[in-house]
Amino acid sequence: MTILAASPAAIAQAAALLREGKLVAFPTETVYGLGADATNDRAVAAIYAAKGRPQFNPLIAHVAEARDLDDLIVWNDAARLLAEHFWPGPLTLVLPRRADSPVALLASAGLDTLAVRIPAHPVALELLRATGRPVVAPSANASGKLSPTTPAHVAESLSDNVELILAGGKCAVGVESTVLDLTTPRPTILRPGAITREMLERQLSRVFEATHDDASPKSPGMMASHYAPHLPLRLEATTVAPDEALLAFGPDVFVKGGATRLNLSPTGDLTEAASNLFAMLRQLDQLHFNGIAVMPIPALGLGIAINDRLQRAAAPRDAV
Ligand code: AMP
Ligand code: MG
């Protein structure tokens, strides 16, 4: 891990590292972010591994210009209006993903939506321009620790897991961005932040707040649990029935030949497995089977988040 003052040369180096799939921490106006190339499945998986999150929460994709989002999400009028008014700034918009969006499915935690933002920090904007790709950047701290507002905080929390920290002083806002869901006719605040409901209501006539007892719960946690395949999942499978597809893991796959199977990681690499999880579940789910058998995945490191997601996907629908 290296800490460099955010000079043009350091920013160019950081952009090159991001394009190689490495993790780089950088300042935004809210908190320091742990950045990865949003289009690189392995790099996105490495973010979850570095943070040690026991769950796959969807991540925010950051870009430098609104037009950089044209390939990623489906715009609507409210999004255009708010983007015009509040970007660059501490407002994250949740929008439908384009079907051909190049952003890793893991970044959306398997959802059909994507959270996007243009940060208002000169270092973040220069880095995003130099990288030329969307960058996912959750707060640069280990799971359960406070969000970092100085480079020293990042180094304390993540030193082994980040290639480079771009130092750009203390973050001005210090709290995370407001997250606003624009995927339904009711714009809904999923996470309160620096852009308040009153500020949003000056642009959109009504803005709602997600509450726990909301008729249609939309809090980030609930959203994150939303993706489930149509086919039932059978976990810890040590056999596969003729009417099941197999989601395998590791080198010791018990069926050879016949059965339709995809392997999350033939070498048993959990980062590779995480990067393949949502795409492979979706692929198997489209096939004509009566269920998906999933081989055991070790509950270590990223395996904890993978198992968490599989368990939710396997739970009876009305219990999710
Ligand atoms: P962080 O990356 O730590 O700033 O957290 C990102 C926040 O945005 C979390 O609260 C996520 O649950 C929320 N978020 C990101 N993507 C989505 C999405 N597609 N739908 C709903 N919430 C999202
Ligand atoms: Mg955080």
Side-chain angles (χ1 to χ4, degrees):
M1 191 259 313
T2 320
I3 305 184
L4 289 177
S7 65
I11 290 172
Q13 189 183 332
L17 288 168
L18 286 172
R19 294 173 65 94
E20 282 168 27
K22 301 286 186 348
L23 305 188
V24 170
F26 62 94
T28 76
E29 80 280 32
T30 60
V31 299
Y32 272 75
L34 179 65
D37 175 355
T39 67
N40 179 329
D41 296 290
R42 291 293 290 257
V44 174
I47 290 245
Y48 291 102
K51 288 186 60 90
R53 265 185 186 170
Q55 295 176 343
F56 294 123
N57 298 338
L59 303 175
I60 300 168
H62 297 76
V63 297
E65 311 279 346
R67 65 169 174 272
D68 298 339
L69 295 175
D70 294 352
D71 298 337
L72 312 187
I73 49 89
V74 181
W75 284 100
N76 58 40
D77 291 344
R80 296 248 180 233
L81 186 72
L82 296 178
E84 186 74 25
H85 204 82
F86 292 106
W87 282 351
L91 176 66
T92 294
L93 301 178
V94 176
L95 290 163
R97 272 178 77 104
R98 283 183 59 110
D100 56 355
S101 175
V103 170
L105 281 176
L106 187 60
S108 295
L111 298 169
D112 294 325
T113 57
L114 182 66
V116 294
R117 173 166 109 85
I118 301 181
H121 192 291
V123 173
L125 289 171
E126 278 178 55
L127 177 63
L128 291 167
R129 278 193 199 102
T131 306
R133 294 183 193 162
V135 171
V136 284
S139 53
N141 54 282
S143 177
K145 299 282 160 39
L146 287 179
S147 292
T149 52
T150 66
H153 292 166
V154 181
E156 273 163 37
S157 190
L158 289 179
S159 59
D160 297 338
N161 295 307
V162 56
E163 197 82 11
L164 173 65
I165 301 174
L166 278 181
K170 202 167 176 307
C171 302
V173 178
V175 295
E176 273 120 335
S177 60
T178 304
V179 179
L180 183 69
D181 181 6
L182 292 179
T183 61
T184 75
R186 293 160 55 98
T188 303
I189 296 176
L190 302 179
R191 176 175 76 185
I195 305 291
T196 62
R197 181 181 185 174
E198 291 68 33
M199 292 160 78
L200 293 168
E201 284 191 331
R202 266 175 243 136
Q203 306 305 319
L204 302 180
S205 53
R206 287 205 67 188
V207 172
F208 300 85
E209 270 164 40
T211 57
H212 285 300
D213 50 30
D214 204 315
S216 58
K218 279 266 179 166
S219 74
M222 304 292 294
M223 287 293 294
S225 68
H226 229 75
Y227 171 72
H230 301 106
L231 290 179
L233 249 56
R234 189 166 64 80
L235 305 185
E236 310 286 335
T238 51
T239 57
V240 59
D243 64 345
E244 283 179 323
L246 178 66
L247 187 61
F249 174 81
D252 302 319
V253 180
F254 45 79
V255 258
K256 308 277 178 223
T260 294
R261 65 169 193 241
L262 292 173
N263 198 325
L264 289 168
S265 171
T267 60
D269 173 344
L270 289 165
T271 306
E272 180 180 32
S275 73
N276 285 328
L277 180 64
F278 291 106
M280 288 188 175
L281 275 176
R282 279 176 189 242
Q283 255 178 286
L284 292 178
D285 203 28
Q286 284 162 11
L287 303 172
H288 299 286
F289 288 99
N290 289 326
I292 302 173
V294 186
M295 282 178 64
I297 291 160
L300 313 163
L302 267 183
I304 295 170
I306 295 173
N307 280 305
D308 169 76
R309 182 46 49 127
L310 288 169
Q311 276 150 16
R312 288 171 198 243
R317 283 313 112 83
D318 50 9
V320 172

